[in-house]
């Protein structure tokens, strides 16, 4: 189960890194009729978040736990 969850995080992180505007298009793109794009700050923060998610997925995979606080 831990490997499955870590793979989900890793895949989400990789997708977020290579396609940072995908979430913007899914959330806002439909409302603006395709005439607008996400800002550079949005792209940067999306990639930064993707790095965090990817790092967390790799940590879960290596450590073998989900961050239990016991």
């Amino acid at each position: 189960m831990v490997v499955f969850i870590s793979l989900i995080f890793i895949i989400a992180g990789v997708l977020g890194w290579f396609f940072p505007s995908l979430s913007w298009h899914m959330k806002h793109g439909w409302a603006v009729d395709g005439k607008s794009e996400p800002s550079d700050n949005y792209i940067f923060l999306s990639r930064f978040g993707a790095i965090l998610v990817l790092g967390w997925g790799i940590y879960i995979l290596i450590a073998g736990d989900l961050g239990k606080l016991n």
Side-chain angles (χ1 to χ4, degrees):
M1 185 66 165
V2 172
V3 174
F4 178 71
I5 292 172
S6 67
L7 288 177
I8 289 175
F9 277 102
I10 290 170
I11 290 169
V14 169
L15 286 176
W17 176 258
F18 287 112
F19 305 107
S21 62
L22 179 64
S23 63
W24 185 89
H25 285 292
M26 289 173 42
K27 186 174 182 182
H28 302 291
W30 63 272
V32 295
D33 196 27
K35 297 178 182 158
S36 182
E37 293 293 324
S39 68
D40 291 336
N41 288 335
Y42 184 90
I43 298 284
F44 172 76
L45 291 174
S46 292
R47 284 196 169 150
F48 181 74
I51 290 171
L52 294 177
V53 170
L54 181 61
W56 186 251
I58 292 171
Y59 168 76
I60 292 171
L61 186 63
I62 292 171
D65 66 41
L66 296 174
K68 298 174 188 168
L69 297 173
N70 295 358

